[in-house]
Amino acid sequence: MIDLHIHSRFSDGSFTVPELFQRAKNNGLTGIAITDHDNLLSIPIAKELGEKMGIETIPGVEVSTVHEGIDVHVLGYFINPESKELQEKLDFLIKSRHNRNTKMIQRLNDLGYAITYEMLPKNDFAQNLGRPHIAEALVTAGYFESMDQVFKKLLSRGKPGYIDKEGITPLEAITAIKAAGGFPVLAHPFYCYKDRRILKEFIKTLVDGGLGGIETYYVNHTRSECEFLKEVAKEFKLALTGGSDFHGTYKPAIELGTGRGNLYIDHSVLEQLKAAHEQYL
Ligand code: AMP
Ligand code: ZN
Ligand code: FE
Ligand code: FE
């Protein structure tokens, strides 16, 4: 069993990279990729731990992008962390995240929630905080019962506490991942569009821009959505990937590897991904 979508304390996961490897071992995982939002800090640590613990480890990242007002996450696998072009894009994204957090806290204050930057939980990359950290601070301060509630009432796109972050486009992310020797994959495609015709058209434009795969086995996909993505992948000759999008205590219902209990991604998916990457370069 493998899991190719995992967050650590370098973004909005609650566990350190060594803790994630220990958990992966305990859960019987044979291959993993840590895919933190907008940074590559996990990569050297994960490489070493993977070798030591006998878990096949793919260097990864999840890049935040915006397309026509919607959030689109692009996963990058087999990333060379020395790549300047990718690092420049990520530096920009981290800056824009920091600006946005400041603005979001101001907005929340205006809405009557007395929280400060200092009240946000600490991760291991101070500027790379996001909505989950803000949500947790609001729960800790007693304004809400759960993070889920915060998102529903306040922080989801379109809700009063939501603020856009300045972003890059999915095509820019694909190009930068490619420049870093990586393999670009559209994360959780159904978060982009629920309408299948529109989603397929969108995927087509990304394929024309160099997309290599789509995240098909995903914790929140229905069986029918998964089947649909397999068909799209076949038609556009895309690789299939999958993961739990594990965030530790920030998404308490989701377990590493098994997701909500029914996720199982076979190691052969990783073998096929490696083959697709070799062909892609
Ligand atoms: P950000 O990158 O700061 O905009 O935050 C995005 C992250 O917030 C996602 O990767 C998820 O981990 C989390 N998130 C987004 N929507 C929700 C939601 N409705 N409930 C819980 N977590 C969410
Ligand atoms: Zn996240
Ligand atoms: Fe994501
Ligand atoms: Fe994620």
Side-chain angles (χ1 to χ4, degrees):
M1 179 170 57
I2 62 167
D3 191 335
L4 302 178
H5 191 155
I6 304 171
H7 295 274
S8 83
R9 283 178 57 93
F10 289 128
S11 65
D12 52 4
S14 65
F15 293 108
T16 63
V17 177
E19 286 166 346
L20 288 168
F21 270 82
Q22 193 51 55
R23 201 175 184 99
K25 197 80 192 165
N26 294 347
N27 291 6
L29 293 178
T30 54
I32 64 174
I34 313 262
T35 51
D36 274 314
H37 298 290
D38 308 325
N39 79 80
L40 309 176
L41 294 171
S42 78
I43 291 178
I45 308 168
K47 182 172 189 289
E48 204 181 308
L49 283 166
E51 283 164 12
K52 207 163 82 186
M53 298 178 72
I55 297 174
E56 192 166 0
T57 302
I58 309 295
V61 64
E62 183 175 23
V63 184
S64 312
T65 78
V66 179
H67 171 78
E68 295 180 353
I70 63 159
D71 285 318
V72 174
H73 291 176
V74 182
L75 293 158
Y77 293 111
F78 310 102
I79 294 292
N80 170 8
E82 307 294 320
S83 160
K84 272 219 163 63
E85 184 169 343
L86 178 59
Q87 193 57 55
E88 268 170 28
K89 296 281 183 212
L90 299 180
D91 289 344
F92 169 77
L93 291 175
I94 296 294
K95 247 185 242 148
S96 110
R97 241 177 210 291
H98 186 64
N99 290 338
R100 180 234 210 174
N101 288 335
T102 310
K103 281 189 212 159
M104 249 195 301
I105 285 168
Q106 182 58 53
R107 168 74 63 83
L108 292 170
N109 291 164
D110 295 344
L111 291 168
Y113 302 96
I115 62 160
T116 61
Y117 218 111
E118 288 65 41
M119 287 160 74
L120 303 188
K122 305 279 175 279
N123 68 358
D124 290 337
F125 182 20
Q127 300 210 309
N128 194 19
L129 297 171
R131 282 182 286 162
H133 302 101
I134 295 180
E136 186 177 284
L138 286 163
V139 172
T140 305
Y143 289 110
F144 291 88
E145 298 269 302
S146 69
M147 294 186 32
D148 217 38
Q149 247 185 29
V150 187
F151 271 97
K152 281 208 180 91
K153 289 207 177 147
L154 215 51
L155 293 186
S156 294
R157 185 180 280 274
K159 300 295 172 187
Y162 180 85
I163 289 188
D164 271 325
K165 50 185 185 291
E166 247 186 291
I168 62 172
T169 66
L171 291 178
E172 283 180 277
I174 288 170
T175 304
I177 288 166
K178 212 169 161 176
F183 188 81
V185 171
L186 178 63
H188 38 65
F190 274 96
Y191 286 2
C192 306
Y193 298 102
K194 278 280 170 198
D195 182 292
R196 296 184 181 195
R197 193 182 53 80
I198 296 174
L199 176 57
K200 189 171 167 183
E201 269 173 32
F202 175 57
I203 292 174
K204 176 74 171 69
T205 63
L206 299 184
V207 171
D208 292 342
L211 189 74
I214 47 179
E215 190 174 49
T216 304
Y217 309 104
Y218 184 71
V219 68
N220 289 338
H221 285 165
T222 64
R223 186 178 291 259
S224 142
E225 286 173 340
C226 179
E227 289 307 316
F228 171 78
L229 291 172
K230 280 186 189 171
E231 278 169 35
V232 171
K234 201 167 179 184
E235 185 174 335
F236 297 149
K237 297 190 170 51
L238 295 168
L240 308 177
T241 73
S244 69
D245 212 350
F246 182 71
H247 284 71
T249 57
Y250 290 107
K251 287 189 184 175
I254 293 169
E255 182 49 65
L256 191 64
T258 51
R260 296 181 197 280
N262 55 0
L263 189 68
Y264 174 90
I265 305 161
D266 194 78
H267 200 96
S268 60
V269 171
L270 179 43
E271 296 304 331
Q272 283 160 24
L273 178 60
K274 281 194 289 186
H277 177 232
E278 264 166 41
Q279 284 216 329
Y280 181 82
L281 289 178

